[in-house]
Amino acid sequence: MTVGTTPQGRKIFYRDELKFAFAATDAFVGTVTPGEVFEVETEININAGVLTSLDKRLTESDVTLPFVNPVTGPFKVEGAKPGDMLKVEIIEAAVGGIGTTALWPGVGIFPDWCRQKEFGIRNHNVLVKDGVIHWSDKVKLPVKPMIGCISTAPVNGGMMTVDCDKVGGNLDVQEVTDGNVVMLPVHHDGAYLYLGDCHAIQGDGECNGMGAIEIAAHLTIRVEVVPRPPEMTWPRIETPTHICTIGCARPLEDALRTAFQEMVYWLSADYGLSHEEAYMLLGQVAEARCTQMVNPKYTYICKVHKDVLAQL
Amino acid sequence: MTVGTTPQGRKIFYRDELKFAFAATDAFVGTVTPGEVFEVETEININAGVLTSLDKRLTESDVTLPFVNPVTGPFKVEGAKPGDMLKVEIIEAAVGGIGTTALWPGVGIFPDWCRQKEFGIRNHNVLVKDGVIHWSDKVKLPVKPMIGCISTAPVNGGMMTVDCDKVGGNLDVQEVTDGNVVMLPVHHDGAYLYLGDCHAIQGDGECNGMGAIEIAAHLTIRVEVVPRPPEMTWPRIETPTHICTIGCARPLEDALRTAFQEMVYWLSADYGLSHEEAYMLLGQVAEARCTQMVNPKYTYICKVHKDVLAQL
Amino acid sequence: MTVGTTPQGRKIFYRDELKFAFAATDAFVGTVTPGEVFEVETEININAGVLTSLDKRLTESDVTLPFVNPVTGPFKVEGAKPGDMLKVEIIEAAVGGIGTTALWPGVGIFPDWCRQKEFGIRNHNVLVKDGVIHWSDKVKLPVKPMIGCISTAPVNGGMMTVDCDKVGGNLDVQEVTDGNVVMLPVHHDGAYLYLGDCHAIQGDGECNGMGAIEIAAHLTIRVEVVPRPPEMTWPRIETPTHICTIGCARPLEDALRTAFQEMVYWLSADYGLSHEEAYMLLGQVAEARCTQMVNPKYTYICKVHKDVLAQL
Amino acid sequence: MTVGTTPQGRKIFYRDELKFAFAATDAFVGTVTPGEVFEVETEININAGVLTSLDKRLTESDVTLPFVNPVTGPFKVEGAKPGDMLKVEIIEAAVGGIGTTALWPGVGIFPDWCRQKEFGIRNHNVLVKDGVIHWSDKVKLPVKPMIGCISTAPVNGGMMTVDCDKVGGNLDVQEVTDGNVVMLPVHHDGAYLYLGDCHAIQGDGECNGMGAIEIAAHLTIRVEVVPRPPEMTWPRIETPTHICTIGCARPLEDALRTAFQEMVYWLSADYGLSHEEAYMLLGQVAEARCTQMVNPKYTYICKVHKDVLAQL
């Protein structure tokens, strides 16, 4: 059984049937209705059950490549159809228990040819409790929870959960967090929403590959379905303070260009600027960064503050 | 005459003798003493005297490539010698008057083969006054002044002022601003400090190439000289809240890697972490972004908050 | 049944049980002995049975992403054990019948953000017969057969057959062809050799993504097992005229660097040059090119002519 | 005096007045007429007069960065006017004497952050005589002469001679050699042709930065002026066997894309293919490689054999 009911009467989807690809050929694990609040359990990105204690040292066999980043889903979104845009509101991403960050050969921002002999497998486990990451006896970091994998099903075929693209996927964007709304394109009836790979905190670039604090999570989510804006090609995010566009590509230049171009389109369509004006204004007001440079495609986010938008 | 005295009795260096390269073959325009507060005028990055009115439209001849980004200097720093590190404190970067941002063929984040027929030369002039950028009748942006070019002289030869590298140069980093300290390596007696190419505001990526609000400026500066930490290779910045490392390279991946590697070295040397620990911790706490992707080398900044450092 | 015997008494492995990942968790489809000549059928890289006629137009459903590049295998190589190097001699790669090249959205050297509205799916089928590719009524190209996918099983986990890495994989190197020997590392008992994704001809870069003439093939192969040279990290190829190293990475700079570094190691270990001398000599004698810039990792090959080696 | 007359009565331009930028603000050193055969002396890319003996060891002061790659010119081409295309026929590039290749910190395919402590300055001098490069007592390489820098003046401003772009410049392409024709755009009356930075031989990638055998040369040249094809944006080359397009950019992906796109345009304009057909055909017939990955912009060449063109 993968679906239950919480004490408040919400649907809850358990992490007992995980997927390693986003694909419309999957059977739905359940149905959600726009406007309904529901809950989702997600598994840690390595094999379930491995991280049994704080002193557990990872070995190669603890991760079954390329089957990493298990996701929960797909959820059928009632009424969503091709051409729609799915708005996924992250009400809460709650994390706790043992999490880990790890060095892994061939993974990370430093290319293999350069670092191949330097680092072997090494992991650093932490206890996450009451909003604090106990990184070491001395170092305590505040929890900044986020959802690494959020996706609808691609137009055709499947995308591995290590990868990301126009439908979302393994975006690893810190803004996919409490209080924000992620917008994804819908290509199939029911949308096929997947969620997983949560982090207790993540640095920009996610430099060491398994770079965030990887951890299981309990999500509270609400979705909405609207027509897809014609100029929308890539995932978008709205936060209380910013609008954000996402681009996924390698090399990193192309990821940045994609996110900026999507923002030019958005500013032009919804805020009355010409492409040229939008492009020039971004030269002054863009807030942008690479959120991860370790997945098959890199992720760039481009943001504009609503203080600027309010004046347009 | 390029040097004068302010009413408060400070030395002031005027923008009447500009340079377009950083080179220890230049004659010093004056001498400053560690600890002394002095002032520097800098010119707008296009040809001086061109931007005569708000409705001035730029043409090719208004910019004499590759002679852009004029800088004031070099200043001899009393006592600075090879092997030292120069600490440049930005007390104030004051900007005002007419500034501009521009589209220019072949310049910007979008490669030429892709955009070549789309945009011609187009500039957008703004009035900067009392801390406000009058972007349009409707849009007003707060001034966030910064110094684009800050450099010592390279080991040998000269570096054009459009370029950047280990000695600094056309970094275009927003953190080179009021209240922060920029650290640069010293390769020659007197250090040869140059300053120029200020911006009233700049977006991340500086996407449209002449992407910031380019403007003349009046700087208030103080320098200090200390021995160079042995593991320091690239420019560093200290702000009230963060330590920051800078990397300049193309492709963008290499710029990011450079900035992160420099931070690994810094955390290891000054905060007692092993390289591996520093690298893993950055996976959670790095704040990093590309500040410009339009100069001959791109600039990446990697930052760590002092709240984290205080626990190490 | 996946294995039979040819009239000459050779083992032949049929294309009736295809794989879409390279993984030591697969069951062997058969065993080959070093020195033995055997034959292998490989399938076209799209779904089998789709290309029924020269005028067949491909649609999205004809390719089940990410399940492309089916491979035949794995073959157990008698006596191969971890630490060995597998030498795969391509005696013949015979191709014939209907092949295809195709434009596919999101695939190819031009990034999606740039070309997204330009090209849809479009395929161009050709008849391959008697060593000639009938590209059009006017254009006839000579067959230059090659094997796109050649791999052993990775250290742990699995690698999708669209991908490539240190064990080989979807290399798409034209030198993997008749008369040449491909060298791959062995990480598991039996080596787990896979072969597939043959091309009737391929241009450098494989620019349009499904850029070669994709086609089924009939291979004649012989393998040998030797101890792995300690400095060997990436696939190598020996041709009658050259030694070649392969590097797979994104961005393209890293692929080139990897191939060149591997060649520096090889020249140093086997030909008595210091690293510095090898690196300097390559500045004059390297023959190198990107063979594909369309797979998840790009492939670069670096070659040195035996006329040079003979003098070392 | 920079111009003389050879015994055969040809104009000869001496290497006694060198330039370090391509700019239409330069005064012409002389005039040539389309169809006329003339000769040009070029200097080695480091400072003139430094390489006095085979055992000369280079030091930092022997190269005055960024003043490398001295070029001879500019030559006024009689009748050339904006909108024309200049065809430069390389009749002969004769090299001889002492040449050198060198390792230089911060130069080469390996990024500085990775190799910074490995190699210092190291040069390897060779005697070039009678078509043979005496690389060492044992290693003798055949001379394959080429012209590294070939350029007209850019639209406006100047381009340093270390750089390359749409007008040519420091292309470092091996195909700029005897018997081939290089085509460059003309932006100014007289075209402003420059030539310099010749190599006795160069490997693909020019990996160690000063990677070719750098040497002075004596060129025999003939120029022609024709209207510029409307779709021509980048330098092109015609050899007895191939047509070639050149792209210069960083990252390397963009250089490759530029060269391929220019070839799509050329095939479409002159050989009757649609853009889609040309792009698909290149997937099978392109011969392409990076000629240097060490200059401020990297160079990619894309070639199509005339055997293919003859069938179109």
Side-chain angles (χ1 to χ4, degrees):
Chain A
M1 189 200 70
T2 61
V3 192
T5 308
T6 69
Q8 303 106 301
R10 293 175 183 165
K11 271 180 212 146
I12 176 165
F13 298 90
Y14 296 111
R15 56 177 158 259
D16 55 1
E17 191 192 312
L18 300 167
K19 303 286 168 24
F20 292 94
F22 311 106
T25 50
D26 281 340
F28 291 116
V29 298
T31 300
V32 297
T33 307
E36 166 190 9
V37 175
F38 62 98
E39 303 185 16
V40 180
E41 285 190 342
T42 66
E43 188 50 87
I44 193 169
N45 77 326
I46 57 171
N47 288 342
V50 163
L51 217 60
T52 47
S53 72
L54 273 172
D55 55 5
K56 164 72 186 180
R57 298 298 301 258
L58 294 179
T59 63
E60 276 175 5
S61 61
D62 292 324
V63 178
T64 313
L65 291 170
F67 301 104
V68 288
N69 290 350
V71 291
T72 309
F75 312 119
K76 178 178 182 176
V77 178
E78 198 66 53
K81 58 188 184 311
D84 284 341
M85 180 170 78
L86 184 66
K87 302 177 75 166
V88 185
E89 181 186 353
I90 319 297
I91 297 174
E92 189 188 19
V95 296
I98 301 178
T100 193
T101 188
L103 302 175
W104 207 268
V107 178
I109 61 168
F110 291 107
D112 212 45
W113 53 264
C114 165
R115 289 268 160 162
Q116 59 198 347
K117 287 151 193 144
E118 197 160 332
F119 297 136
I121 294 177
R122 178 172 171 185
N123 63 303
H124 180 77
N125 301 338
V126 299
L127 183 66
V128 178
K129 203 179 156 188
D130 299 333
V132 176
I133 299 162
H134 296 263
W135 207 86
S136 69
D137 286 352
K138 292 192 295 177
V139 179
K140 312 295 173 189
L141 302 174
V143 164
K144 297 183 184 172
M146 52 163 282
I147 304 173
C149 284
I150 182 168
S151 197
T152 55
V155 174
N156 77 313
M159 177 171 69
M160 299 297 287
T161 54
V162 291
D163 206 356
C164 52
D165 208 326
K166 299 194 194 70
V167 289
N170 190 18
L171 297 175
D172 286 336
V173 168
Q174 296 100 325
E175 278 80 357
V176 183
T177 190
D178 299 7
N180 296 346
V181 176
V182 181
M183 290 165 258
L184 303 172
V186 177
H187 294 299
H188 301 275
D189 285 336
Y192 291 81
L193 174 65
Y194 298 82
L195 294 160
D197 182 33
C198 292
H199 302 157
I201 192 171
Q202 180 190 308
D204 290 330
E206 209 185 349
C207 63
N208 53 316
M210 296 194 193
I213 296 299
E214 311 285 351
I215 199 160
H218 189 113
L219 312 177
T220 308
I221 302 289
R222 184 163 39 202
V223 296
E224 211 182 319
V225 178
V226 298
R228 182 174 166 191
E231 79 294 339
M232 180 221 195
T233 305
W234 287 88
R236 298 176 172 186
I237 302 174
E238 185 171 353
T239 80
T241 55
H242 290 80
I243 63 171
C244 320
T245 53
I246 304 293
C248 304
R250 278 200 198 188
L252 189 52
E253 283 87 349
D254 285 350
L256 180 151
R257 289 160 176 165
T258 301
F260 274 73
Q261 180 173 268
E262 185 78 12
M263 186 58 86
V264 167
Y265 289 157
W266 195 353
L267 291 177
S268 179
D270 288 8
Y271 298 92
L273 298 176
S274 71
H275 282 194
E276 290 181 348
E277 288 169 332
Y279 185 37
M280 284 201 292
L281 182 59
L282 287 176
Q284 291 94 60
V285 303
E287 302 171 38
R289 51 188 223 283
C290 170
T291 67
Q292 59 80 15
M293 199 179 86
V294 296
N295 296 341
K297 297 192 192 76
Y298 304 147
T299 306
Y300 225 93
I301 188 170
C302 177
K303 305 166 67 169
V304 176
H305 202 285
K306 290 183 175 177
D307 285 352
V308 175
L309 300 176
Q311 302 180 57
L312 296 175
Chain B
M1 189 200 69
T2 60
V3 192
T5 308
T6 69
Q8 304 106 299
R10 294 173 183 166
K11 270 180 213 144
I12 175 165
F13 298 91
Y14 297 110
R15 55 175 159 261
D16 56 1
E17 190 191 313
L18 300 167
K19 303 287 168 25
F20 292 93
F22 311 105
T25 50
D26 281 340
F28 291 116
V29 298
T31 300
V32 297
T33 307
E36 165 190 10
V37 176
F38 61 98
E39 303 185 17
V40 180
E41 284 190 344
T42 66
E43 187 50 87
I44 193 168
N45 77 326
I46 58 172
N47 286 343
V50 164
L51 217 60
T52 47
S53 72
L54 273 172
D55 56 5
K56 164 71 187 181
R57 299 298 302 257
L58 294 179
T59 63
E60 276 174 5
S61 61
D62 292 324
V63 178
T64 313
L65 294 170
F67 300 105
V68 287
N69 290 350
V71 291
T72 309
F75 312 119
K76 179 177 184 175
V77 178
E78 199 66 54
K81 57 187 184 313
D84 284 341
M85 180 169 77
L86 184 65
K87 301 177 77 166
V88 184
E89 182 186 352
I90 319 298
I91 298 174
E92 189 187 19
V95 295
I98 302 178
T100 193
T101 188
L103 302 176
W104 208 268
V107 179
I109 61 168
F110 291 108
D112 212 45
W113 53 265
C114 165
R115 288 269 159 161
Q116 61 197 347
K117 288 150 192 143
E118 200 161 331
F119 298 136
I121 294 177
R122 179 171 168 183
N123 64 302
H124 180 78
N125 301 338
V126 300
L127 182 67
V128 178
K129 203 180 155 186
D130 298 333
V132 176
I133 298 162
H134 297 264
W135 207 85
S136 68
D137 286 352
K138 292 193 294 178
V139 180
K140 312 295 173 188
L141 303 173
V143 165
K144 298 184 183 172
M146 53 165 281
I147 304 172
C149 285
I150 182 167
S151 197
T152 55
V155 174
N156 77 314
M159 177 171 68
M160 299 296 288
T161 54
V162 291
D163 206 356
C164 53
D165 210 326
K166 299 195 195 67
V167 289
N170 190 17
L171 297 175
D172 286 335
V173 168
Q174 296 100 325
E175 278 80 356
V176 182
T177 190
D178 300 7
N180 297 346
V181 176
V182 180
M183 292 166 255
L184 304 172
V186 176
H187 295 298
H188 301 275
D189 285 336
Y192 291 81
L193 174 66
Y194 297 84
L195 295 159
D197 182 33
C198 292
H199 302 159
I201 191 170
Q202 181 190 307
D204 291 330
E206 210 184 351
C207 62
N208 54 316
M210 297 195 191
I213 297 298
E214 311 285 352
I215 199 160
H218 189 113
L219 311 178
T220 308
I221 303 289
R222 184 163 39 202
V223 297
E224 212 182 316
V225 178
V226 297
R228 181 174 167 191
E231 78 295 338
M232 181 219 194
T233 306
W234 287 88
R236 298 175 173 186
I237 302 175
E238 185 172 353
T239 80
T241 54
H242 290 80
I243 63 171
C244 318
T245 53
I246 303 293
C248 304
R250 279 202 197 186
L252 189 52
E253 282 88 348
D254 284 351
L256 180 152
R257 289 160 175 164
T258 302
F260 273 74
Q261 181 172 268
E262 185 78 13
M263 185 59 84
V264 166
Y265 289 155
W266 196 351
L267 291 177
S268 178
D270 287 9
Y271 298 92
L273 299 176
S274 71
H275 282 195
E276 291 180 348
E277 287 170 333
Y279 185 36
M280 285 202 290
L281 182 60
L282 287 177
Q284 290 93 60
V285 305
E287 302 171 39
R289 50 188 223 287
C290 169
T291 68
Q292 60 80 14
M293 197 178 88
V294 296
N295 296 342
K297 296 192 193 76
Y298 305 147
T299 306
Y300 225 93
I301 187 170
C302 177
K303 306 167 66 169
V304 176
H305 201 285
K306 291 183 174 176
D307 285 352
V308 175
L309 301 175
Q311 302 180 57
L312 295 175
Chain C
M1 189 199 70
T2 61
V3 192
T5 308
T6 69
Q8 303 106 300
R10 294 173 182 166
K11 270 180 213 147
I12 175 165
F13 298 89
Y14 297 111
R15 56 176 158 259
D16 56 2
E17 191 192 313
L18 300 167
K19 303 284 168 27
F20 292 93
F22 311 106
T25 50
D26 281 340
F28 291 116
V29 297
T31 301
V32 298
T33 307
E36 166 191 8
V37 176
F38 62 98
E39 304 185 15
V40 180
E41 285 190 341
T42 65
E43 188 51 86
I44 193 169
N45 77 327
I46 58 172
N47 287 342
V50 163
L51 217 60
T52 47
S53 73
L54 273 172
D55 56 5
K56 164 72 188 180
R57 298 299 302 260
L58 294 179
T59 63
E60 277 175 6
S61 61
D62 292 324
V63 177
T64 312
L65 293 170
F67 301 105
V68 287
N69 291 349
V71 292
T72 308
F75 313 119
K76 177 178 184 175
V77 178
E78 199 65 53
K81 57 188 186 309
D84 284 342
M85 179 170 78
L86 183 66
K87 301 177 75 166
V88 185
E89 182 186 351
I90 319 296
I91 298 175
E92 189 188 18
V95 296
I98 302 179
T100 194
T101 189
L103 302 176
W104 208 268
V107 179
I109 61 169
F110 292 107
D112 212 45
W113 55 263
C114 164
R115 288 268 161 163
Q116 59 197 348
K117 287 151 192 142
E118 200 160 330
F119 298 137
I121 294 177
R122 180 173 167 182
N123 64 303
H124 180 78
N125 301 337
V126 300
L127 183 66
V128 178
K129 203 178 155 188
D130 298 333
V132 176
I133 298 163
H134 297 264
W135 207 85
S136 68
D137 286 352
K138 293 192 294 179
V139 179
K140 312 296 173 188
L141 303 174
V143 164
K144 297 184 183 171
M146 54 163 282
I147 303 172
C149 284
I150 182 167
S151 196
T152 56
V155 175
N156 78 315
M159 177 170 69
M160 299 297 288
T161 54
V162 291
D163 206 356
C164 52
D165 209 325
K166 299 194 195 70
V167 289
N170 190 18
L171 296 175
D172 286 335
V173 168
Q174 296 100 325
E175 277 80 357
V176 182
T177 190
D178 300 7
N180 296 346
V181 176
V182 181
M183 290 166 257
L184 303 172
V186 177
H187 295 298
H188 302 275
D189 285 336
Y192 291 80
L193 174 65
Y194 297 83
L195 295 159
D197 182 34
C198 292
H199 301 159
I201 192 171
Q202 180 190 306
D204 290 331
E206 210 185 349
C207 62
N208 53 316
M210 297 195 191
I213 296 299
E214 310 285 351
I215 199 159
H218 188 115
L219 311 177
T220 308
I221 302 289
R222 185 164 39 204
V223 297
E224 212 182 318
V225 178
V226 298
R228 181 174 166 190
E231 79 294 337
M232 180 220 194
T233 306
W234 286 88
R236 298 176 173 186
I237 302 175
E238 184 170 353
T239 80
T241 54
H242 289 81
I243 64 171
C244 318
T245 52
I246 304 293
C248 305
R250 280 200 197 187
L252 189 52
E253 282 87 350
D254 284 350
L256 180 152
R257 290 160 175 165
T258 301
F260 273 74
Q261 180 172 268
E262 185 79 12
M263 185 58 86
V264 167
Y265 289 156
W266 195 352
L267 291 176
S268 178
D270 287 9
Y271 297 92
L273 298 176
S274 71
H275 282 195
E276 289 181 349
E277 288 169 331
Y279 185 37
M280 284 202 291
L281 183 59
L282 286 177
Q284 291 93 61
V285 305
E287 303 171 38
R289 50 186 223 287
C290 170
T291 68
Q292 60 80 16
M293 198 179 87
V294 296
N295 296 341
K297 297 191 193 76
Y298 304 147
T299 306
Y300 225 93
I301 188 169
C302 178
K303 307 167 66 169
V304 176
H305 201 285
K306 291 183 173 177
D307 285 352
V308 175
L309 300 176
Q311 301 179 57
L312 295 175
Chain D
M1 187 200 70
T2 61
V3 193
T5 307
T6 69
Q8 305 106 299
R10 294 173 182 167
K11 270 178 213 147
I12 176 165
F13 298 90
Y14 297 110
R15 54 174 160 261
D16 55 2
E17 189 191 314
L18 299 167
K19 303 286 168 24
F20 293 93
F22 311 106
T25 50
D26 281 341
F28 292 117
V29 297
T31 300
V32 297
T33 307
E36 166 191 8
V37 176
F38 62 98
E39 303 185 16
V40 180
E41 285 190 342
T42 66
E43 188 50 87
I44 193 169
N45 76 326
I46 57 172
N47 287 343
V50 164
L51 217 61
T52 46
S53 73
L54 273 172
D55 55 6
K56 164 71 187 180
R57 297 299 302 260
L58 293 179
T59 62
E60 276 175 7
S61 60
D62 292 324
V63 177
T64 313
L65 292 171
F67 301 104
V68 288
N69 291 350
V71 292
T72 308
F75 312 120
K76 177 178 184 176
V77 178
E78 198 65 54
K81 58 187 185 310
D84 283 342
M85 180 170 78
L86 184 66
K87 301 177 76 166
V88 185
E89 182 186 351
I90 319 297
I91 297 174
E92 189 188 18
V95 297
I98 302 178
T100 194
T101 189
L103 301 176
W104 208 268
V107 179
I109 62 168
F110 292 107
D112 212 45
W113 54 264
C114 164
R115 289 268 160 165
Q116 60 197 348
K117 288 151 191 143
E118 198 159 334
F119 298 136
I121 293 177
R122 178 171 170 184
N123 63 303
H124 180 77
N125 302 338
V126 300
L127 183 65
V128 178
K129 202 179 157 188
D130 299 332
V132 176
I133 298 161
H134 297 263
W135 207 86
S136 68
D137 286 352
K138 293 192 294 178
V139 179
K140 312 295 174 189
L141 302 174
V143 165
K144 298 182 183 173
M146 53 164 282
I147 304 172
C149 284
I150 181 168
S151 197
T152 55
V155 175
N156 77 312
M159 178 171 69
M160 299 297 287
T161 55
V162 291
D163 205 356
C164 52
D165 208 325
K166 299 194 194 69
V167 289
N170 190 18
L171 297 175
D172 285 335
V173 167
Q174 296 100 326
E175 278 80 355
V176 183
T177 189
D178 300 6
N180 297 345
V181 176
V182 181
M183 291 166 257
L184 303 172
V186 177
H187 295 298
H188 301 275
D189 285 335
Y192 290 80
L193 175 65
Y194 297 83
L195 294 160
D197 181 33
C198 292
H199 302 158
I201 191 171
Q202 181 191 309
D204 290 329
E206 210 184 348
C207 63
N208 53 316
M210 297 195 190
I213 296 298
E214 311 285 352
I215 199 160
H218 188 114
L219 311 178
T220 309
I221 303 289
R222 185 163 40 202
V223 297
E224 212 181 317
V225 178
V226 297
R228 181 174 167 191
E231 79 293 340
M232 180 218 194
T233 306
W234 287 87
R236 298 175 172 186
I237 302 174
E238 185 170 353
T239 80
T241 55
H242 289 80
I243 64 171
C244 318
T245 53
I246 303 293
C248 304
R250 276 199 199 190
L252 189 50
E253 283 87 349
D254 284 351
L256 180 151
R257 290 160 176 164
T258 301
F260 273 74
Q261 180 172 269
E262 184 79 11
M263 186 58 85
V264 166
Y265 290 156
W266 196 351
L267 291 176
S268 178
D270 288 9
Y271 297 93
L273 298 176
S274 70
H275 282 193
E276 291 181 347
E277 287 170 332
Y279 185 37
M280 285 202 290
L281 183 60
L282 286 176
Q284 290 93 60
V285 305
E287 302 171 38
R289 49 188 224 286
C290 170
T291 68
Q292 60 80 15
M293 198 180 86
V294 296
N295 296 342
K297 296 191 192 76
Y298 305 147
T299 306
Y300 224 93
I301 188 170
C302 178
K303 306 167 66 169
V304 176
H305 202 285
K306 290 183 174 177
D307 284 353
V308 175
L309 300 175
Q311 303 179 56
L312 295 175

